[in-house]
Amino acid sequence: MANGYKVLVIDDEESILRLLEHELTTEERTVDTAASAAAGLEKFSKGHYDVVVSDIRLPDGDGLDMLVQFKTAYPDIEVVLITGHGNIDNAVEAMRIGAYDYLTKPFHLDRVELVIERAYQRVCLQRENRSFRHSNQTVAASKLIGNSAPIKQIKYLISRVAPTDVAVLITGESGVGKDVVAHSIQEQSERNERPFIVKNCATLQKELMRSELFGHTRGSFTGATDSRDGLMTYADTGTLFLDEIGELPLEVQGALLRVLEAKMYRRMGEKNERHVDIRFLFATSRNLAEEVEAGRFNEALYHRINVFNIPVPPLCRRKEDIPLLVEHFLGRMSIAMRRERLTITDKAVQCLTHYDWPGNIRELRNVLERSIILAEGGVITNQALPRELVEHVAEQGGTVFSLEEMEREHIQRALQFYDGNRLQAAKALGIGRKTLYRKIEKFGLG
């Protein structure tokens, strides 16, 4: 159920089970039932439930013990307990252990529905909070900028694959914007209001990778002082974007393949498998086919994640998009810096367009951020651009700046390096102090 939730009711009275299943089932809410503790635990282990409603006293089990098992397995779910004895001690103990609420028999159906609905709202809030902490959305989601043929093709591919649940592999050099493509897929998908969990596999500690992805139980390894969920739990019903998937060790790749094929996984130290409903996005700057050939990447996993590939070209192959990217970044930076709109001269844009950008879009953004510091009156000129970039473009015949322009930039850099100390700047430049003063006045650097 992409837009609904599931409730499990456990009670030994058949009439109560029939009543709650019939009266509480709606288009948004599915209600499953179990007539014993054993049956309830079995259903719980096979299906993912959001709320559990259980009698405290069952012929073959205790509701308080089951509460502990439920919350240990899935800390985000909420459990409502039922008692036919009005035993306040049991109710208090249940709340202390972690129950959301309790109901006493005989109960009003409206009261049961209200408690279940509020419990589910709390589940949603907890999952949103966890998703926020494990997502890069706060710093992410730049738009896919450009009108070049490669970008138009990427936008077309995204429009076709986004509404499906097919796994997508996004490939390309570092800095080309693979994360932007992933966010675009998420925004156009049917899960766009569900959790979107982003994780760069290169940042995972090798000894903790399996735990971070799948979670662990208390005592499953040295240092596991409590049970914790992994990214699979946080991404359930939503989307998991694993960047730099080529960094994942072989031993963990096999477990990930199991999730993709069977939608099942097991936390470290746990016997029972869990079912998950996750849409997967992957990205890599490596050639995974070569990694498979070298024995560093699981061949079966490669074929499973490479169902739909979106290659992102380097910036040098879509230079016509650079002016649009520059305007986009300057607009965002103006807002972030709370200043009037930053602008750039045509000559500076021409220089940027002729550069090859080995660091791709990431390098372009960094150059603009650096150039803003040297901009005069909020205008980026060619003098504000990195000298090595300008010189490289000139050497390649892309654009040529006059010696006077280069001299002005060189002097400006020396003054900035020595915090305005003209004597030190003159010595570093190999000219006299009076000569430096004349040039400062000539170039308007005073």
Side-chain angles (χ1 to χ4, degrees):
M1 291 184 64
N3 299 307
Y5 67 100
K6 296 178 67 175
V7 179
L8 175 62
V9 180
I10 307 171
D11 198 296
D12 59 333
E13 295 186 39
E14 191 65 32
S15 58
I16 289 180
L17 295 180
R18 287 199 303 269
L19 173 68
L20 296 183
E21 182 178 15
H22 181 266
E23 296 296 331
L24 297 182
T25 298
T26 66
E27 291 184 0
E28 294 78 26
R29 183 196 304 127
T30 297
V31 179
D32 290 341
T33 62
S36 66
L41 289 170
E42 183 179 1
K43 282 197 172 184
F44 183 83
S45 66
K46 294 180 178 179
H48 184 80
Y49 295 95
D50 303 286
V51 180
V52 175
V53 180
S54 175
D55 198 340
I56 285 183
R57 294 193 177 182
L58 294 164
D60 59 339
D62 181 88
L64 295 180
D65 293 336
M66 294 174 66
L67 165 63
V68 174
Q69 293 183 61
F70 293 148
K71 295 294 285 185
T72 299
Y74 288 97
D76 283 345
I77 72 161
E78 293 298 342
V79 180
V80 179
L81 293 178
I82 302 173
T83 175
H85 307 279
N87 189 324
I88 192 65
D89 292 336
N90 277 350
V92 170
E93 177 64 13
M95 301 290 282
R96 187 188 68 80
I97 293 174
Y100 175 75
D101 206 343
Y102 68 94
L103 302 165
T104 56
K105 296 179 182 179
F107 46 70
H108 294 286
L109 196 60
D110 291 344
R111 165 68 177 162
V112 177
E113 186 167 24
L114 178 63
V115 170
I116 290 176
E117 187 62 31
R118 286 178 175 174
Y120 176 62
Q121 290 173 4
R122 185 173 176 182
V123 169
C124 292
L125 180 61
Q126 290 174 338
R127 287 176 181 166
E128 287 174 5
N129 289 338
R130 286 180 182 268
S131 297
F132 180 79
R133 291 196 299 270
H134 288 82
S135 173
N136 285 343
Q137 282 182 285
T138 52
V139 295
S142 179
K143 294 180 180 179
L144 194 60
I145 304 296
N147 290 320
S148 62
I151 289 300
K152 288 180 178 178
Q153 174 66 9
I154 290 173
K155 289 178 179 179
Y156 170 74
L157 293 175
I158 290 173
S159 69
R160 299 306 301 264
V161 77
T164 74
D165 276 340
V166 171
V168 180
L169 177 63
I170 307 163
T171 56
E173 296 177 4
S174 178
V176 294
K178 298 185 291 293
D179 59 326
V180 178
V181 174
H183 278 87
S184 297
I185 294 172
Q186 165 67 6
E187 289 169 3
Q188 297 179 44
S189 75
E190 295 182 356
R191 302 182 184 230
N192 57 5
E193 295 183 358
R194 293 285 178 167
F196 181 45
I197 309 302
V198 179
K199 193 64 180 181
N200 189 322
C201 296
T203 66
L204 292 169
Q205 298 180 46
K206 188 172 183 179
E207 60 274 12
L208 296 177
M209 277 190 178
R210 187 181 292 271
S211 172
E212 282 207 50
L213 286 175
F214 305 107
H216 64 261
T217 59
R218 181 179 180 181
S220 56
F221 57 88
T222 303
T225 56
D226 56 6
S227 297
R228 289 190 180 180
D229 285 325
L231 298 180
M232 297 298 166
T233 299
Y234 305 141
D236 195 21
T237 74
T239 303
L240 178 58
F241 171 39
L242 294 177
D243 199 0
E244 295 301 342
I245 186 63
E247 302 294 331
L248 211 61
L250 278 169
E251 59 267 23
V252 182
Q253 292 175 22
L256 179 59
L257 178 61
R258 169 70 175 158
V259 181
L260 287 163
E261 291 184 335
K263 297 186 181 297
M264 302 290 290
Y265 76 97
R266 183 183 290 109
R267 289 198 305 182
M268 293 178 65
E270 196 168 58
K271 295 181 179 180
N272 296 326
E273 284 193 311
R274 301 173 174 219
H275 177 271
V276 285
D277 173 23
I278 299 175
R279 200 269 177 87
F280 285 93
L281 305 178
F282 304 96
T284 182
S285 56
R286 293 189 180 190
N287 185 323
L288 292 187
E290 292 180 357
E291 294 294 299
V292 169
E293 192 71 24
R296 291 188 294 265
F297 200 84
N298 185 302
E299 183 175 5
L301 178 61
Y302 170 64
H303 292 303
R304 191 65 184 79
I305 69 176
N306 197 32
V307 175
F308 195 94
N309 175 228
I310 299 182
V312 185
L315 186 55
C316 63
R317 283 176 46 199
R318 57 183 190 102
K319 287 187 174 182
E320 60 267 45
D321 291 332
I322 289 177
L324 291 175
L325 287 164
V326 169
E327 286 299 312
H328 171 70
F329 286 132
L330 290 183
R332 291 184 63 186
M333 292 171 190
S334 298
I335 295 172
M337 299 171 67
R338 297 182 180 179
R339 57 186 295 178
E340 294 183 6
R341 175 81 182 191
L342 296 162
T343 58
I344 185 169
T345 64
D346 291 341
K347 200 167 188 178
V349 172
Q350 182 186 12
C351 183
L352 295 175
T353 305
H354 282 88
Y355 186 57
D356 287 334
W357 300 108
N360 294 297
I361 296 174
R362 184 183 295 122
E363 184 184 5
L364 172 62
R365 184 178 62 243
N366 292 341
V367 165
L368 290 173
E369 288 177 346
R370 181 256 185 211
S371 299
I372 289 172
I373 300 172
L374 301 179
E376 297 178 359
V379 179
I380 298 176
T381 63
N382 57 288
Q383 284 84 13
L385 299 176
R387 183 182 179 187
E388 58 274 14
L389 185 153
V390 176
E391 291 178 343
H392 178 76
V393 171
E395 289 173 0
Q396 299 301 313
T399 186
V400 178
F401 298 111
S402 68
L403 290 175
E404 188 173 278
E405 289 174 321
M406 298 294 290
E407 184 181 23
R408 181 188 187 281
E409 180 189 359
H410 192 51
I411 292 173
Q412 185 181 41
R413 285 174 176 273
L415 289 169
Q416 289 170 344
F417 184 82
Y418 289 105
D419 296 325
N421 189 311
R422 298 182 179 187
L423 179 60
Q424 289 182 317
K427 287 181 179 179
L429 291 167
I431 60 177
R433 186 159 50 91
K434 290 183 179 180
T435 302
L436 177 60
Y437 286 165
R438 286 197 304 270
K439 291 185 180 294
I440 288 173
E441 184 177 356
K442 175 184 176 181
F443 296 132
L445 299 175

